[in-house]
Amino acid sequence: MKQFFLPESGGAFKANLHCHSTVSDGRLTVEEIKAQYMKHGYSIVAFTDHDVLLSHADLNEPGRFLALNGYEMEVNEQGFTGLKSGDLTFGSGKTAHMCLVALEPDNLTQVCYNKDKYIWGNAKAFIPELKFDRDDYERVYSHEGVSEMMRLGREHGFFVTYNHPTWSMESWPDYSGYENMHAVEIWNTGCERIGYDEYNCHCFDDLLRQGKRVYALATDDNHNGQPLESPLDDSCGGWVVIRCEKLEYRCVTDALLRGSFYASTGPEIHDLWAEDGVLHVTTSPAHRINFITGARHTGSVGAHRSETVCEGAFRMDPARDGYVRVEVIDQYGERAVSNPVWMDQLK
Ligand SMILES: [Zn+2]
Ligand SMILES: [Zn+2]
């Protein structure tokens, strides 16, 4: 019997889960962002302004558009410099950023808040509206400090994502000690557009091979510093396709928690299922489909340059694989990345 890892029925909703508006340091208003993303086929945007959690329910249109409420938090290594100029390519030192997306629409209480720190752009103007459990939280840049921020986010009803490790100048010695994240950004358009190699699947596999149960997100982290028509515009470059029954807040956030989505900068994953020990995938026309596992055991289906493939199959080895995930690469080098299928999920 087929075991599906993306549901057979329901909708497929394109989403940007990391986004900055004029509420903090973005250039576009939330209304302008909604219009831009709807024009490009999105039905979900999570507004994740820096340290400002507000309800954006007034943007919702039943069946057409859903705003998720969230915010981004950071904690910086001692000696971290830069950013004050507003130029994200400037500065040195490590930092850890995470997005928190509220699982319930009425969860608007921020955690890890400090009234004197982490104010970006216009954020100060919104302080009187904010709700927080305390306003003097001291963030610490360490394995324990970051893991504690992620734990508090998770415990208080947020979906927690570890953001842009490359731009943050973090590598294995840093993120291997971070616990409690739900997902990691395997792609961040904003960082890529200013020159970083923010394709982070090496980090994703590092975390998975440690035994962490994390999902993959592609996000924009758009600040829209460039005009929308510029090739350096940071909107609509990376997204997730969320598969769930309805475009309703809790339905969508439940799908996030289940991992019922895939990340992409171009190709589509249509179906992903296991049957008789074989993982099957069907996709949009691709140059190559790779199967990557937790072990030194991989598979690949490829096409000559002028041809394409649209499906692949891989015999799993439950005794050693740990997990299997799928990557789809199109003729432009754009990628779709599935969430892992863990061997203990197999029926
Ligand atoms: Zn960030
Ligand atoms: Zn951001």
Side-chain angles (χ1 to χ4, degrees):
M1 207 174 83
K2 288 182 176 178
Q3 181 184 358
F4 283 90
F5 298 100
L6 292 170
E8 278 184 285
S9 62
F13 304 108
K14 196 172 173 183
N16 175 22
L17 298 180
H18 184 173
C19 165
H20 300 275
S21 71
T22 50
V23 168
S24 63
D25 60 344
R27 192 179 58 85
L28 300 183
T29 65
V30 294
E31 291 82 9
E32 288 169 328
I33 290 167
K34 174 187 166 183
Q36 170 69 357
Y37 279 83
M38 285 186 79
K39 202 163 90 182
H40 285 83
Y42 288 68
S43 29
I44 299 168
V45 173
F47 292 91
T48 55
D49 277 296
H50 297 281
D51 277 290
V52 181
L53 174 61
L54 301 172
S55 171
H56 296 286
D58 51 336
L59 299 174
N60 292 344
E61 290 180 42
R64 293 193 68 221
F65 187 81
L66 176 72
L68 300 178
N69 308 321
Y71 66 111
E72 185 175 21
M73 301 198 294
E74 78 194 83
V75 57
N76 302 327
E77 184 181 47
Q78 215 175 6
F80 179 88
T81 60
L83 306 182
K84 289 189 187 101
S85 66
D87 176 358
L88 298 186
T89 63
F90 180 71
S92 63
K94 295 179 186 189
T95 178
H97 288 208
M98 63 196 81
C99 278
L100 276 65
V101 172
L103 298 174
E104 300 280 356
D106 57 357
N107 180 10
L108 296 169
T109 301
Q110 293 184 215
V111 296
C112 308
Y113 186 72
N114 189 308
K115 66 181 185 316
D116 302 317
K117 296 182 180 173
Y118 313 115
I119 312 291
W120 294 60
N122 303 321
K124 208 170 207 144
F126 294 90
I127 290 176
E129 294 176 49
L130 301 183
K131 288 186 227 156
F132 29 80
D133 56 348
R134 54 184 281 192
D135 65 5
D136 59 350
Y137 188 87
E138 289 297 333
R139 300 176 189 176
V140 180
Y141 183 82
S142 65
H143 288 165
E144 296 72 25
V146 172
S147 301
E148 178 68 1
M149 289 167 69
M150 290 178 168
R151 184 186 69 78
L152 286 166
R154 193 184 261 261
E155 276 189 4
H156 285 80
F158 295 93
F159 185 83
V160 179
T161 304
Y162 172 52
N163 298 343
H164 49 65
T166 300
W167 177 85
S168 296
M169 298 195 173
E170 295 201 308
S171 56
W172 166 262
D174 309 302
Y175 56 66
S176 60
Y178 297 165
E179 307 292 336
N180 307 319
M181 67 182 82
H182 288 102
V184 58
E185 284 184 345
I186 57 93
W187 171 267
N188 179 299
T189 309
C191 297
E192 191 269 351
R193 293 293 194 264
I194 57 172
Y196 290 85
D197 179 10
E198 202 66 62
Y199 179 67
N200 294 312
C201 273
H202 59 282
C203 168
F204 187 34
D205 283 315
D206 281 349
L207 296 169
L208 292 169
R209 286 171 183 152
Q210 266 192 307
K212 292 185 168 124
R213 298 271 170 150
V214 293
Y215 301 132
L217 298 191
T219 75
D220 280 340
D221 193 6
N222 54 299
H223 291 71
N224 302 99
Q226 301 285 337
L228 292 174
E229 57 281 7
S230 164
L232 297 180
D233 170 43
D234 55 8
S235 34
C236 307
W239 55 87
V240 294
V241 176
I242 299 172
R243 299 273 288 267
C244 64
E245 208 54 47
K246 286 183 246 157
L247 188 62
E248 290 176 4
Y249 201 109
R250 192 63 230 209
C251 201
V252 167
T253 56
D254 276 341
L256 288 179
L257 290 175
R258 280 198 312 273
S260 188
F261 60 89
Y262 67 89
S264 183
T265 61
E268 294 169 10
I269 297 177
H270 297 151
D271 284 306
L272 181 65
W273 75 94
E275 189 173 27
D276 299 330
V278 177
L279 188 66
H280 297 265
V281 66
T282 56
T283 70
S284 56
H287 172 60
R288 187 182 284 274
I289 300 171
N290 291 332
F291 296 88
I292 293 149
T293 79
R296 185 167 289 112
H297 176 216
T298 53
S300 193
V301 181
H304 290 296
R305 258 180 199 284
S306 57
E307 296 164 0
T308 55
V309 290
C310 294
E311 60 186 328
F314 178 72
R315 177 155 294 283
M316 297 175 282
D317 182 346
R320 63 173 176 163
D321 284 347
Y323 65 89
V324 183
R325 63 180 190 85
V326 179
E327 283 196 20
V328 184
I329 308 168
D330 72 13
Q331 68 268 42
Y332 304 109
E334 302 293 352
R335 292 172 192 246
V337 174
S338 82
N339 278 323
V341 171
W342 283 281
M343 292 300 99
D344 58 12
Q345 288 180 290
L346 295 175
K347 289 184 181 141

